[in-house]
């Protein structure tokens, strides 16, 4: 493929990635808000843990249903989309960079720019390509991810009325480096997460194609074109696998992102400034203070969100790519 063709392919991947990311983020924002509220809450997020009143203080959120009711009652319907603007500003360049780097790496490895030939490369290389593309996308869009977490984690009354206010406070209290607070655990998380997400997606696609060939009534006919439903199922499975494995790292990342920032007392204790020296110290402190359950706070809305989010992302990307090519 010539240089003009490569540029065209990169533009298609970037545009399709941005569209798919924006659609997936907007659709699953309510679950993301609930997940973040759980992750930054130091108190237990389950009713049974609250029985130990000698150890724990009162919790703001104690379950998905209760959290949904509270957010709706206190913040209204739009409360479920709190932080969605910086989330879109984060996810659009993130998915654009991720898919461009991913497709470029696959093209280099397979020696072909045809996506159909990319499924022939080793599954292990799919995992590596996913990890590398995830790191590149994270570094390029991280400040928006930080702002999204801060805005989504606050309730009412708002500590930061808008994105500019949050940005100003971060620069004033933390400096420029504050925009990358929690980057290290994020990169540690994204390597296995993106690798699993893209690697398992390609693996499930291969299995589905093999299943289609083995069950086809016409053995000589190609069955390598998956339906939207099959792509959705592959995306669902990939999202569940990736999120279930990497969720504890996501909790650690969120704690680093919000440590030292203001928080209304109604929403529980805040993470104090420099509460954690490093990732290992954060994990040890969470285990000591909150038990192993502390590393899995928000796992239910996280998995529920990850499955449709990944499915929507891949389906929207495939659809947008075909539409842009035509």
């Amino acid at each position: 493929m010539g240089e003009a063709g490569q540029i065209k392919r990169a533009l298609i991947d970037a545009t399709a990635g941005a569209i798919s990311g924006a659609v997936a983020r907007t659709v699953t924002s309510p679950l993301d808000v609930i997940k973040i509220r759980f992750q930054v809450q130091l108190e237990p997020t389950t009713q049974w843990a609250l029985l130990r009143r000698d150890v724990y203080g009162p919790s703001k959120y104690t379950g998905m249903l209760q959290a949904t009711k509270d957010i709706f009652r206190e913040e209204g319907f739009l409360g479920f989309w709190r932080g969605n603007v910086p989330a879109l500003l984060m996810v659009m360049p993130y998915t654009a960079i991720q898919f461009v780097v991913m497709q470029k790496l696959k093209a280099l490895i397979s020696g072909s720019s045809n996506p159909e030939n990319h499924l022939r490369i080793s599954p292990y290389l799919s995992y590596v390509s996913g990890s590398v593309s995830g790191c590149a996308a994270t570094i390029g869009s991280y400040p928006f991810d930080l702002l999204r977490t801060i805005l989504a984690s606050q309730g009412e009354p708002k500590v930061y009325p808008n994105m500019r206010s949050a940005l100003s406070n971060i620069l004033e209290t933390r400096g420029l480096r504050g925009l990358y607070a929690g980057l290290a655990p994020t990169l540690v998380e994204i390597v296995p997460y993106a690798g699993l997400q893209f690697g398992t997606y390609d693996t499930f696609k291969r299995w589905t194609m093999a299943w289609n060939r083995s069950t086809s009534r016409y053995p000589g006919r190609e069955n390598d074109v998956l339906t939207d439903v099959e792509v959705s199922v592959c995306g669902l499975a990939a999202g569940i696998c990736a999120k279930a494995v990497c969720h504890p790292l996501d909790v650690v990342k969120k704690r680093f992102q919000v440590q030292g920032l203001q928080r209304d007392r109604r929403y529980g204790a805040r993470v104090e400034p420099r509460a954690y020296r490093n990732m290992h110290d954060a994990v040890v402190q969470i285990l000591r203070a909150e038990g192993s359950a502390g590393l899995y706070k928000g796992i239910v809305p996280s998995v529920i969100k990850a499955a449709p989010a990944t499915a929507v992302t891949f389906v929207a990307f495939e659809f947008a790519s075909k539409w842009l090519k035509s």
Side-chain angles (χ1 to χ4, degrees):
M1 182 183 286
E3 184 177 349
Q6 292 180 4
I7 294 174
K8 180 182 177 182
R9 177 71 221 184
L11 287 173
I12 289 175
D13 289 338
T15 306
I19 292 172
S20 63
V23 172
R25 174 63 63 182
T26 302
V27 169
T28 59
S29 179
L31 289 167
D32 199 44
V33 168
I34 295 172
K35 180 201 76 169
I36 290 174
R37 298 288 175 92
F38 284 164
Q39 288 178 323
V40 301
Q41 178 173 290
L42 301 183
E43 296 78 18
T45 56
T46 54
Q47 288 282 3
W48 63 268
L50 293 176
L51 296 175
R52 299 176 60 188
R53 296 187 182 276
D54 58 319
V55 178
Y56 300 116
S59 294
K60 174 65 176 175
Y61 302 116
T62 56
M64 273 195 66
L65 183 60
Q66 179 266 337
T68 302
K69 290 179 179 178
D70 269 21
I71 293 172
F72 182 73
R73 184 178 66 252
E74 296 172 358
E75 305 167 44
F77 187 69
L78 293 180
F80 293 106
W81 276 267
R82 178 157 290 176
N84 197 49
V85 172
L88 289 175
L89 292 175
M90 178 273 291
V91 79
M92 292 181 73
Y94 178 90
T95 49
I97 295 169
Q98 188 176 39
F99 276 105
V100 168
V101 174
M102 181 72 179
Q103 297 299 332
K104 186 64 177 177
L105 287 171
K106 286 185 174 181
L108 289 172
I109 294 169
S110 65
S112 170
S113 59
N114 187 348
E116 294 180 2
N117 296 326
H118 295 171
L119 289 174
R120 298 174 184 174
I121 66 175
S122 167
Y124 300 106
L125 291 176
S126 290
Y127 285 88
V128 173
S129 298
S131 297
V132 173
S133 64
C135 287
T138 297
I139 293 171
S141 61
Y142 188 79
F144 292 113
D145 183 26
L146 178 72
L147 291 170
R148 181 279 307 255
T149 298
I150 292 170
L151 292 177
S153 64
Q154 66 177 354
E156 290 289 349
K158 295 179 182 178
V159 176
Y160 307 105
N162 50 49
M163 192 165 61
R164 180 183 295 180
S165 171
L167 177 61
S168 299
N169 182 262
I170 291 170
L171 292 175
E172 183 181 334
T173 57
R174 297 178 176 178
L176 192 61
R177 292 182 60 183
L179 291 175
Y180 287 88
L183 179 61
T186 302
L187 290 175
V188 172
E189 175 208 3
I190 207 65
V191 168
Y193 180 75
L196 283 169
Q197 187 182 43
F198 281 90
T200 52
Y201 176 68
D202 282 350
T203 299
F204 287 132
K205 283 180 71 175
R206 290 190 183 94
W207 290 350
T208 305
M209 290 174 184
W211 172 262
N212 288 345
R213 293 191 199 103
S214 65
T215 58
S216 175
R217 295 182 180 179
Y218 308 98
R221 182 180 295 179
E222 290 292 328
N223 291 280
D224 289 347
V225 178
L226 301 183
T227 65
D228 289 342
V229 173
E230 289 171 332
V231 171
S232 298
V233 172
C234 291
L236 282 167
I240 291 172
C241 290
K243 185 55 71 175
V245 171
C246 303
H247 187 79
L249 292 171
D250 192 37
V251 172
V252 173
K253 178 188 83 171
K254 293 295 190 294
R255 296 295 177 88
F256 272 102
Q257 288 180 327
V258 301
Q259 70 175 348
L261 296 177
Q262 301 175 49
R263 180 176 173 85
D264 191 274
R265 291 184 178 181
R266 289 190 305 160
Y267 294 86
R270 73 167 185 166
V271 182
E272 295 298 329
R274 298 180 181 177
Y276 310 120
R277 295 192 302 273
N278 49 50
M279 281 187 64
H280 177 264
D281 181 56
V283 172
V284 170
Q285 286 199 45
I286 292 171
L287 287 173
R288 185 183 299 133
E290 306 168 47
S292 57
L295 292 173
Y296 285 91
K297 283 182 175 177
I299 184 65
V300 174
S302 181
V303 170
I304 294 174
K305 171 221 163 187
T310 307
V312 170
T313 298
F314 283 118
V315 171
F317 177 78
E318 302 276 357
F319 179 81
S321 293
K322 292 175 184 176
W323 178 73
L324 289 168
K325 287 176 186 176
S326 66

